[in-house]
Amino acid sequence: MDFNFTDEQTMVRDSLNRLVRENYDFETRRAAIESESGWRPEIWAQLAELGLLGMPFSEADGGFGGGAIDSLIVMEEFGKGLVVEPFVPTVVCAGGFFKHAGTDAQKAEHIGGIVDGSRIYAFAYAEPRGRYDLADLETTAKRDGDGYVLNGHKAVVIGAPWASHLVVTARTSGERRDRDGISVFVVDKSAKGIVTRDYPTVDGRRASEIYFENVAVPAEALIGEEGKALPLIGLVTDEAIAALCAEACGAMKVAHEMTVEYSRQRKQFGTPIGKFQVLQHRMVDMFTEYEQSVSMAYLATLKLGEDSRDRKLAVAAAKVRIGQAAHHIGQEAIQIHGGMGMTDELAIGHYFKRLTVFDSEFGNVDHHMKRHVALSSS
Amino acid sequence: MNLEFSPEEQAFRKEVRAFIEENYPKQASADSLRDDMSAEELVAWHKILGKKGWSVPAWPEQYGGTGWTPTQRYIWGEENARVNAIMPLPFGTSMVGPVIYTFGNEAQKEQHLPGIRSGNVWWCQGYSEPGAGSDLASLKTTAVRDGDHYVINGQKTWTTLAQHADWGFFLCRTDPDAAKPQEGISFILVDMKTPGIEVRPIKLIDGGYEVNETWLTDVRVPVENLIGEENKGWTYAKFLLAHERSGIAGVARSKRGIEQLRDIAKSEVLDGKPLIEDFDFARKVSQLEIDLAALEITELRTLAGEQAGRGPGPESSILKIKGTEIQQRLTELALEAVGHYGTPYYRAVADAGSNEYPIGPDYAQHSAGSYFNMRKTSIYGGSNEIQRNIITKMILGL
């Protein structure tokens, strides 16, 4: 058993920690998310330069031979600074699909573009009526000559306004919610027939509603086997969940620290409010929730490479536990900050909002609780 | 013991329901209550009620109250909640109004009560300060006597909707040398147009601007605006806070909220079935409904006590704690119900104007904003921690 990071991983964490501290102070972040584009391509370029965008890919694929633990390290640091740049959609999701199922040509083109920072991807999986079921798809991809034609509406696609390419789940056969008949495609976002409605999200990112209106894609757009993609989608989303769990841990850590610090500074009744036992115990409970969450993020990450049932159980458990902790810590952080916690001016409210949205990404507490029940009773 | 409303009370319900149906301005619904609504929209119903003589039901009849029993007032609240009415704002009708008719002199009553009743004069509350929140008695804003005037200096915060206010009621320190912080505070009415007052909006986490910082610099206020006795303001403030708490349970509105939540959960789909048929979700809605039922009966017991002449005591802190927890939980579940569509920042989208493709269902539009905004309810009006302190001291005797 070993819960230590390697020297190399520690170095990565430290350099990233420095990058976030130096470039992602609260006011700089605010200016960036309120700017027209809502993000900073120059941060992305720095991540590419540091080699972080290539870390989870094997050297054979053009990466630096790291893995899920490296993504955990990255995302935890991103969570601390509420980094909005699309690491999960691009590196973990799109990168994951190509890594696990891409052809050599796809790997060369797409992983190459991810590693050097030239391509940004968004993962269009959610649909207006599908909730969190990855198989509940109304978007269709119909064979047309050598290629396919896509039609449908993808909902709340995180990072899509910044993306050059989309990874899209669609039904190539079967009925809505069938486990079979699902395929994954990579599509140039500028393809004819793609209409987007871009908007900001409550947690400071950008997203789009994406409408596919007879979008023709070539055969090479298919990732993996036609109609058999659900297990692959499940694997990639589990990897994304593990990464988001790490991000939530980073955000919870900072939210807790800020709350403790505020309770030291804020005086009422002639004493710092942190001296009140009723608040002390609540901050202890927040801390305990955070520590339990870190454990679950590690568990999920370490099980990603394992037999699929163990992996799914661990990821579902982590998403449940961390989803609960994120709500608890977010709400308590605001309450202990009092009126100041309600203001846009303080960072704490922004952590609260990020932690709120976290729960709804790739399935909320209830969704993963059901998943856990189904897995553990099978 | 009997939970039924009497035939008279049922007849009363019919009467007010008919009045509301006929007169409530249809475009104004609390569903769309937002800080960027115009002042006119916010007071539209208040003004109609003012003309009818129903804007301040709880006041003594001699000051324009309706003479309704507490049960009738409860029915009134329920009927208004049915249409999600934007009720008269509390700052005039349930805060400063009762202070003025209880502790003010005749001239003050004559000057101020009509405008509060009619809705023509907008009031705001100058209590909290950056350094004085839960510990309100530590407030530092000063009022120094200078001839026929007080000169007020200081900074107030969380002044709700002060951007529209004509008048404000302020707690100011008039005796800095008083033995206890609660002593030496005075309750002063201030015309918000007086030179030296600056109202600065505070942006909240939902993106709204419903509260403000209010800066007072050498604001000269005539001494006749002092309520009651100088240095006795804390007594009046405490009286007011008890009034503020008694309406805070929000049972009728939460009932309506649960109906809306069920409607959302009927529209949302999980596994091809309405979300409301999902046991995990339905269970949470029922839990909330059960908690609300308990709160409703607790409030009715308090009302019955009030009807029998026992004023709302420290038990009203229970109403505040449970009422706000339920309101918060409601918005949390509504946000959960809408799934992915809780994520868009609709307010920014609306401000930007473009509406080519709608984003998500209508009922999702305020889900996240309401959830964020409602976190305030366990903080304001005496935080829920302070309410627990009150129960600890006043009921448990610890």
Side-chain angles (χ1 to χ4, degrees):
Chain A
M1 208 173 302
D2 178 14
F3 287 109
N4 296 309
F5 295 130
T6 63
D7 289 348
E8 209 168 310
Q9 288 166 338
T10 305
M11 263 168 57
V12 167
R13 193 188 57 193
D14 292 348
S15 64
L16 198 53
N17 187 285
R18 195 162 50 243
L19 182 142
V20 171
R21 264 189 293 115
E22 287 170 3
N23 297 283
Y24 242 98
D25 65 277
F26 184 59
E27 290 310 320
T28 310
R29 174 184 182 273
R30 180 198 297 280
I33 65 173
E34 289 176 359
S35 71
E36 193 171 337
S37 70
W39 74 308
R40 285 180 288 167
E42 65 270 25
I43 294 281
W44 200 253
Q46 268 181 279
L47 296 175
E49 210 169 292
L50 284 168
L52 293 170
L53 303 179
M55 225 166 35
F57 303 105
S58 70
E59 287 172 24
D61 289 345
F64 303 108
I69 295 171
D70 300 279
S71 292
L72 173 133
I73 291 168
V74 170
M75 290 309 295
E76 196 172 358
E77 295 306 315
F78 278 10
K80 290 179 191 169
L82 297 179
V83 170
V84 300
E85 277 70 23
F87 188 87
V88 169
T90 300
V91 179
V92 181
C93 294
F97 280 109
F98 297 120
K99 180 166 75 175
H100 296 303
T103 60
D104 288 345
Q106 283 174 333
K107 284 181 181 174
E109 178 186 351
H110 297 286
I111 294 180
I114 291 170
V115 174
D116 70 18
S118 61
R119 286 188 173 188
I120 305 288
Y121 293 73
F123 180 30
Y125 71 99
E127 297 194 357
R129 284 164 293 275
R131 207 168 176 82
Y132 304 123
D133 182 354
L134 299 168
D136 195 341
L137 297 176
E138 293 181 284
T139 299
T140 57
K142 291 216 165 65
R143 275 261 185 202
D144 182 45
D146 280 350
Y148 299 85
V149 174
L150 286 135
N151 275 288
H153 171 190
K154 291 292 181 177
V156 197
V157 184
I158 296 290
W162 308 322
S164 56
H165 290 74
L166 303 171
V167 173
V168 188
T169 60
R171 185 161 287 292
T172 36
S173 66
E175 299 295 314
R176 208 178 138 181
R177 290 193 302 283
D178 280 355
R179 317 299 289 172
D180 277 330
I182 295 168
S183 306
V184 183
F185 299 90
V186 57
V187 187
D188 191 316
K189 208 183 78 171
S190 61
K192 193 163 167 282
I194 293 181
V195 179
T196 61
R197 170 94 201 266
D198 302 345
Y199 49 82
T201 64
V202 291
D203 57 347
R205 298 181 293 170
R206 299 288 166 102
S208 306
E209 297 301 291
I210 304 183
Y211 300 85
F212 295 87
E213 296 168 0
N214 294 315
V215 177
V217 298
E220 306 87 78
L222 179 72
I223 308 173
E225 206 181 330
E226 182 188 301
K228 302 278 179 226
L230 193 60
L232 170 66
I233 297 167
L235 169 62
V236 171
T237 51
D238 277 355
E239 290 172 343
I241 288 168
L244 289 172
C245 284
E247 182 191 4
C249 287
M252 285 189 281
K253 180 178 172 62
V254 173
H256 176 255
E257 285 170 356
M258 281 178 167
T259 306
V260 171
E261 184 53 29
Y262 185 81
S263 80
R264 276 203 188 98
Q265 307 289 334
R266 175 68 175 173
K267 285 188 178 151
Q268 290 284 270
F269 306 102
T271 177
I273 61 171
K275 292 284 175 207
F276 296 123
Q277 199 172 40
V278 75
L279 297 189
Q280 288 172 346
H281 285 190
R282 284 162 67 173
M283 290 186 282
V284 169
D285 288 346
M286 289 167 75
F287 178 68
T288 306
E289 289 284 293
Y290 162 70
E291 286 293 338
Q292 295 281 75
S293 296
V294 170
S295 300
M296 292 309 273
Y298 285 2
L299 175 72
T301 303
L302 293 169
K303 294 276 185 188
L304 282 178
E306 294 201 11
D307 155 64
S308 126
R309 184 174 178 273
D310 281 359
R311 179 202 90 211
K312 290 175 186 172
L313 269 172
V315 170
K319 193 67 169 49
V320 167
R321 197 61 200 81
I322 300 177
Q324 293 164 336
H327 274 277
H328 177 91
I329 289 177
Q331 293 176 355
E332 289 287 77
I334 297 294
Q335 183 68 22
I336 294 170
H337 274 79
M340 286 309 292
M342 290 297 299
T343 64
D344 179 72
E345 178 194 340
L346 252 63
I348 193 67
H350 299 259
Y351 284 87
F352 168 56
K353 290 192 277 190
R354 178 69 195 101
L355 289 169
T356 300
V357 172
F358 161 76
D359 183 36
S360 74
E361 293 184 271
F362 298 107
N364 66 0
V365 169
D366 274 12
H367 175 83
H368 285 282
M369 187 68 95
K370 284 184 172 66
R371 192 180 172 211
H372 195 275
V373 168
L375 286 163
S376 54
S377 55
S378 69
Chain B
M1 224 179 287
N2 175 7
L3 280 175
E4 297 298 311
F5 290 107
S6 70
E8 294 76 20
E9 286 161 349
Q10 286 170 32
F12 174 78
R13 184 186 291 279
K14 263 186 151 165
E15 182 198 350
V16 299
R17 182 175 296 187
F19 176 78
I20 291 169
E21 274 170 11
E22 201 164 311
N23 294 285
Y24 189 75
K26 294 284 177 285
Q27 73 283 6
S29 160
D31 278 344
S32 56
L33 178 60
R34 281 173 52 156
D35 60 279
D36 56 353
M37 287 175 76
S38 70
E40 291 72 42
E41 285 174 278
L42 288 168
V43 293
W45 186 223
H46 187 165
K47 287 189 173 175
I48 293 166
L49 294 177
K51 291 202 179 86
K52 172 78 176 171
W54 285 3
S55 61
V56 288
W59 289 16
E61 280 176 88
Q62 65 188 108
Y63 299 119
T66 51
W68 294 341
T69 62
T71 309
Q72 285 176 310
R73 298 205 307 266
Y74 181 80
I75 292 169
W76 170 244
E78 273 201 317
E79 290 303 314
N80 276 284
R82 273 186 78 237
V83 302
N84 263 352
I86 300 175
M87 296 306 283
L89 293 163
F91 314 106
T93 56
S94 52
M95 296 184 184
V96 75
V99 169
I100 291 174
Y101 65 64
T102 309
F103 304 105
N105 58 38
E106 289 311 312
Q108 289 166 337
K109 292 179 198 171
E110 210 167 295
Q111 183 185 0
H112 296 295
L113 297 183
I116 295 173
R117 283 195 301 263
S118 68
N120 287 330
V121 179
W122 192 302
W123 285 81
C124 67
Q125 180 189 38
Y127 269 35
S128 297
E129 296 181 4
S134 286
D135 183 13
L136 184 59
S138 67
L139 61 90
K140 290 193 170 65
T141 295
T142 55
V144 178
R145 187 77 184 257
D146 177 28
D148 292 341
H149 285 80
Y150 286 109
V151 180
I152 302 179
N153 278 288
Q155 185 196 349
K156 294 292 179 179
T157 193
W158 318 127
T159 18
T160 303
L161 295 170
Q163 60 264 47
H164 302 306
D166 304 301
W167 280 78
F169 51 100
F170 287 80
L171 291 182
C172 307
R173 192 160 294 288
T174 36
D175 179 6
D177 305 318
K180 282 164 60 180
Q182 288 85 346
E183 295 163 7
I185 291 171
S186 295
F187 192 107
I188 301 173
L189 309 181
V190 179
D191 183 337
M192 294 297 283
K193 287 184 292 295
T194 317
I197 299 178
E198 194 196 339
V199 174
R200 296 182 197 162
I202 298 173
K203 188 178 183 185
L204 294 185
I205 53 176
D206 63 341
Y209 295 91
E210 63 190 45
V211 293
N212 301 274
E213 291 177 340
T214 302
W215 298 71
L216 302 108
T217 312
D218 295 331
V219 177
R220 295 184 67 84
V221 177
V223 286
E224 54 264 31
N225 288 7
L226 173 75
I227 291 285
E229 287 176 56
E230 196 176 80
N231 299 331
K232 292 274 184 278
W234 189 251
T235 314
Y236 318 139
K238 270 203 312 196
F239 165 88
L240 182 157
L241 283 175
H243 264 260
E244 188 184 359
R245 273 198 292 277
S246 61
I248 220 157
V251 169
R253 196 163 293 283
S254 289
K255 269 191 184 173
R256 170 97 176 111
I258 287 180
E259 276 174 40
Q260 288 170 323
L261 176 61
R262 284 193 191 281
D263 285 343
I264 294 173
K266 280 177 195 157
S267 300
E268 285 292 319
V269 179
L270 189 154
D271 261 340
K273 291 194 290 282
L275 177 62
I276 196 65
E277 291 176 24
D278 173 55
F279 184 77
D280 290 339
F281 193 80
R283 184 183 206 282
K284 288 187 271 198
V285 180
S286 282
Q287 179 69 62
L288 191 60
E289 207 159 17
I290 290 163
D291 289 343
L292 184 59
L295 179 66
E296 181 175 24
I297 302 299
T298 305
E299 188 180 35
L300 287 169
R301 284 168 57 209
T302 312
L303 277 177
E306 216 179 311
Q307 214 147 344
R310 299 186 298 272
E315 313 79 43
S316 65
S317 291
I318 298 174
L319 303 180
K320 163 70 207 322
I321 293 169
K322 297 313 290 183
T324 54
E325 285 175 356
I326 287 168
Q327 290 159 35
Q328 291 178 333
R329 184 70 180 141
L330 250 175
T331 57
E332 188 173 9
L333 287 180
L335 176 61
E336 184 179 328
V338 303
H340 296 289
Y341 281 117
T343 298
Y345 184 18
Y346 295 97
R347 187 172 176 117
V349 174
D351 291 348
S354 155
N355 205 20
E356 206 177 328
Y357 283 87
I359 303 166
D362 280 350
Y363 55 69
Q365 308 276 313
H366 297 292
S367 54
S370 298
Y371 170 62
F372 298 146
N373 184 276
M374 291 308 275
R375 301 317 303 174
K376 73 187 177 189
T377 63
S378 51
I379 296 168
Y380 70 22
S383 71
N384 287 12
E385 288 77 21
I386 292 294
Q387 304 300 334
R388 288 183 171 89
N389 285 347
I390 291 171
I391 296 174
T392 304
K393 282 201 193 93
M394 309 295 284
I395 300 180
L396 308 190
L398 295 171

